[in-house]
Amino acid sequence: MAKDKSGYIIAAAFIGPGTVTTASLAGANFGFHLVWALLFSIFATIVLQDMAARLGVATGKGLASAMKDMVSTPWLKMLFIALIVSAIGIGNAAYESGNLTGAAIGLDAFWEIGTGTWALILGVLAIALLWTGSYSWIESVLVYLVFIMAGVFFVTLIVAKPDISLMFSQLLQPRLAADSITTILALIGTTIVPYNLFLHASLVAKSSTNTDNTNSDKSDAIKACRKQSATAISMGGLITLVVMATAMMAFFNQAATMDAGNMGEQLKPVLGDKAQWFFALGLFAAGLTSAITAPLAAAYAVCGALGLSDDMKSKGFRAVWLTIIVCGVAVAALGFKPLPAILFAQATNGLLLPIIAIFLLVVMNKSNALGEFKNTLWSNLAGVLVVSVVVGLGLYKLTSLFI
């Protein structure tokens, strides 16, 4: 199999403006009391993405196609298709609005013409990139920019001389309360992104077409993919942790309130007055990267469910991602407050996750095409744990609204 880089693409996809914003809000408002949610998210992401990648290698199909092909009853198949299209469509539309809003915030710090105008410009740019089908090189540049920003956060954390004992103390005092549940769901939603399960399976499935399709080849490919994904996702989690730590040092127990205008204050120990510009550049890079991958994943999912061609230049494929981008631009341009919009997108993903995860678990146990690559007992136990925790948090969120 050609060298697959899907693990790093998945990590780059979830390190978007939602990650930066949500991690910053978590650190500013709750310190390290919510790190447990981030650690759980990394574990859960590795578990679920491993299943998605294994499915793609073993069957040569994406998650949506596998879910649809698993059932033969017409009405049940139609229900599966409807759930895939609606869940991914709604989730990605919300996610796309957050991506475009975050990138627009970054650009507006350089040239103030309004986040709505920037969202429209970015939407047109994303459309142009996806229309050509040659987004990969631009995505690579944006990934580098995101990691440059992460490097500055690392340096900032060292220069700021963080209170390690306080961080460790808060780490050992996990918090779960009504005022933190939305942030917890957002942390989970920004890391375990539902659409990444569809994207990962589809990307790996395309790469696996170059193999001889023997079980030995598939086994080797799965091992390599598992190692790469675990490494890349862990790196993404570490970046999120550093963002959370810098926000904690800058804002936790401080009189100042963090908003879109002063998140860049975290970088002042290193960059001085240019901190906001640097932060804006990183936020822009993260936003545009995710703004491309979100509609791309939606197109793979919907086309797989409807049995349409997943060629990036096909009419159906283009129609799906174009719809997602247009919806994202419309929501971002309506003037919603930036941080609530981004946080809402992440929380929505957290609530949609159990639906997709349950379907993935079923596919990994029932699909005849998987053969020896079906879920093991340990994979199933880990998957059930992930789903149970996310469902429990979602129910807690709902009940807290009425108590």
Side-chain angles (χ1 to χ4, degrees), residues 89-104 114-128 130 287-288 290-292 294-295 320-336 341:
I90 294 171
N92 279 35
Y95 202 76
E96 186 71 358
S97 66
N99 293 331
L100 292 171
T101 299
T115 56
T117 302
W118 277 122
L120 178 60
I121 294 172
L122 289 166
V124 171
L125 178 58
I127 289 172
L130 285 173
L288 190 53
S290 297
I292 294 170
V320 175
W321 60 250
L322 183 60
T323 300
I324 296 296
I325 293 176
V326 170
C327 288
V329 170
V331 173
L334 285 176
F336 287 108

Side-chain angles (χ1 to χ4, degrees), residues 58-362:
T59 67
K61 296 181 178 180
L63 176 56
S65 296
M67 288 168 60
K68 185 187 67 173
D69 294 345
M70 189 182 65
V71 295
S72 56
T73 307
W75 70 268
L76 189 57
K77 182 170 291 193
M78 291 301 297
L79 177 62
F80 263 53
I81 292 172
L83 286 172
I84 292 170
V85 173
S86 60
I88 297 301
I90 294 171
N92 279 35
Y95 202 76
E96 186 71 358
S97 66
N99 293 331
L100 292 171
T101 299
I105 293 171
L107 283 171
D108 207 50
F110 288 99
W111 187 11
E112 295 184 8
I113 61 174
T115 56
T117 302
W118 277 122
L120 178 60
I121 294 172
L122 289 166
V124 171
L125 178 58
I127 289 172
L129 291 170
L130 285 173
W131 195 271
T132 64
S134 58
Y135 71 94
S136 58
W137 69 272
I138 298 178
E139 182 180 57
S140 297
V141 172
L142 296 176
V143 169
Y144 282 123
L145 290 174
V146 172
F147 276 83
I148 288 172
M149 183 189 68
V152 174
F153 273 114
F154 273 106
V155 175
T156 304
L157 194 61
I158 295 172
V159 172
K161 298 179 180 179
D163 189 338
I164 302 298
S165 62
L166 177 61
M167 290 180 175
F168 188 72
S169 173
Q170 292 183 351
L171 179 64
L172 298 179
Q173 298 175 34
R175 182 172 177 178
L176 177 61
D179 64 338
S180 64
I181 192 66
T182 298
T183 303
I184 291 170
L185 282 172
L187 275 173
I188 292 173
T190 194
T191 307
I192 324 170
V193 184
Y195 79 68
N196 275 347
L197 298 173
F198 290 88
L199 181 59
H200 203 180
S202 295
L203 291 175
V204 172
K206 282 186 172 294
S207 297
S208 68
T209 57
N210 296 323
T211 69
D212 294 329
N213 290 323
T214 65
N215 282 353
S216 177
D217 289 333
K218 290 179 179 179
S219 181
D220 290 342
I222 287 171
K223 288 178 182 177
C225 192
R226 177 175 292 155
K227 180 179 179 181
Q228 182 200 85
S229 295
T231 300
I233 292 168
S234 297
M235 287 175 60
L238 183 59
I239 291 170
T240 306
L241 181 65
V242 171
V243 172
M244 188 183 295
T246 53
M248 173 187 172
M249 293 302 300
F251 293 100
F252 187 64
N253 283 337
Q254 302 294 321
T257 301
M258 195 188 75
D259 57 31
N262 66 7
M263 280 194 291
E265 294 288 328
Q266 301 170 52
L267 301 177
K268 279 196 172 180
V270 174
L271 301 176
D273 292 336
K274 297 186 183 297
Q276 185 66 31
W277 282 24
F278 189 87
F279 183 87
L281 181 60
L283 199 58
F284 160 70
L288 190 53
T289 301
S290 297
I292 294 170
T293 54
L296 181 64
Y300 276 124
V302 173
C303 288
L306 298 178
L308 302 174
S309 171
D310 62 0
D311 186 315
M312 285 191 63
K313 295 184 178 181
S314 67
K315 292 182 179 179
F317 196 89
R318 283 174 168 171
V320 175
W321 60 250
L322 183 60
T323 300
I324 296 296
I325 293 176
V326 170
C327 288
V329 170
V331 173
L334 285 176
F336 287 108
K337 292 183 179 179
L339 292 188
I342 295 174
L343 193 65
F344 173 76
Q346 308 312 320
T348 301
N349 276 329
L351 293 172
L352 284 172
L353 174 64
I355 300 174
I356 308 303
I358 289 171
F359 283 157
L360 177 61
L361 274 172
V362 173

Side-chain angles (χ1 to χ4, degrees), residues 11-23:
F14 81 71
I15 305 172
T19 303
V20 176
T21 302
T22 303

Side-chain angles (χ1 to χ4, degrees), residues 43-53 192 197 200 353 357 360-361 382-383 386-387:
F43 164 76
T45 302
I46 291 173
V47 168
L48 295 177
Q49 294 295 161
D50 173 66
M51 292 184 197
I192 324 170
L197 298 173
H200 203 180
L353 174 64
L360 177 61
L361 274 172
V386 170
V387 172

